[in-house]
Amino acid sequence: MNRHSPWRDAAERHPDVKIGLAKIAPLRGAWITTENVIVLDVDLDQANCNATLAHELAHIDLKHHTHQAPAKWFAVRWEREADNLACDRLLDNVDEIAEAMALHPQNLDMASDYLEVPADVLWRRLTRLTNAEKLLIVERLDRIDRAC
């Protein structure tokens, strides 16, 4: 499977952005715009590290840095926008999502492990599937059920 790599994405599209690891918990990551640095918490596992980097890159791509820091309501909106874009990038292949769901029915944690993303990323993507994407997944699951 040729999945989206936020590391490759950063190197190709944002070579000027430095990426570093540090103890910043409870934050998972932060984009320091004045230094053009993304800092990821050193204690994150690989799936959370990838998801956090994808999230921080989404802030860059959404041009959140070109605006003044938002009020609390808008800050929540910016975080949601970055989460959504990161989820769409990390899980852009609906066939892979369907395969994970078929291999691990009714088990979000195992399906997300299979896809190498945190469970909250898979859940967010599932809640945002288009009707066409839902139909593809249902058809794939139905084919598997009929074969069993």
Side-chain angles (χ1 to χ4, degrees):
M1 293 181 228
N2 190 16
R3 292 194 179 109
H4 173 79
S5 166
W7 299 92
R8 186 175 49 246
D9 185 32
E12 291 173 358
R13 295 187 316 107
H14 302 288
D16 55 319
V17 175
K18 296 177 226 58
I19 302 168
L21 299 172
K23 283 205 172 273
I24 60 169
L27 297 177
R28 292 192 294 178
W31 175 35
I32 305 166
T33 57
T34 55
E35 303 296 321
N36 209 24
V37 172
I38 293 173
V39 180
L40 304 171
D41 185 65
V42 71
D43 293 324
L44 293 176
D45 63 22
Q46 190 63 51
N48 278 289
C49 199
N50 289 344
T52 303
L53 179 56
H55 172 94
E56 298 304 332
L57 291 170
H59 279 299
I60 294 171
D61 295 334
L62 292 166
K63 304 202 181 313
H64 288 165
H65 62 290
T66 62
H67 307 288
Q68 186 175 4
K72 187 175 183 175
W73 187 87
F74 288 104
V76 170
R77 181 177 173 185
W78 279 12
E79 292 304 313
R80 190 175 310 119
E81 288 173 351
D83 281 344
N84 290 343
L85 182 54
C87 289
D88 291 347
R89 287 178 174 164
L90 290 167
L91 296 172
D92 64 338
N93 187 326
V94 179
D95 284 330
E96 285 186 358
I97 296 170
E99 183 175 309
M101 294 175 67
L103 291 171
H104 305 286
Q106 311 274 323
N107 193 324
L108 185 70
D109 289 331
M110 289 183 72
S112 64
D113 285 348
Y114 178 81
L115 293 166
E116 300 172 349
V117 298
D120 64 306
V121 169
L122 177 56
W123 179 252
R124 181 178 291 272
R125 183 67 173 94
L126 290 174
T127 63
R128 300 181 58 253
L129 291 171
T130 66
N131 287 337
E133 290 171 331
K134 289 176 189 174
L135 183 60
L136 283 171
I137 291 172
V138 167
E139 287 174 352
R140 174 102 184 243
L141 295 174
D142 284 347
R143 278 195 312 270
I144 292 168
D145 280 346
R146 284 193 300 271
C148 292

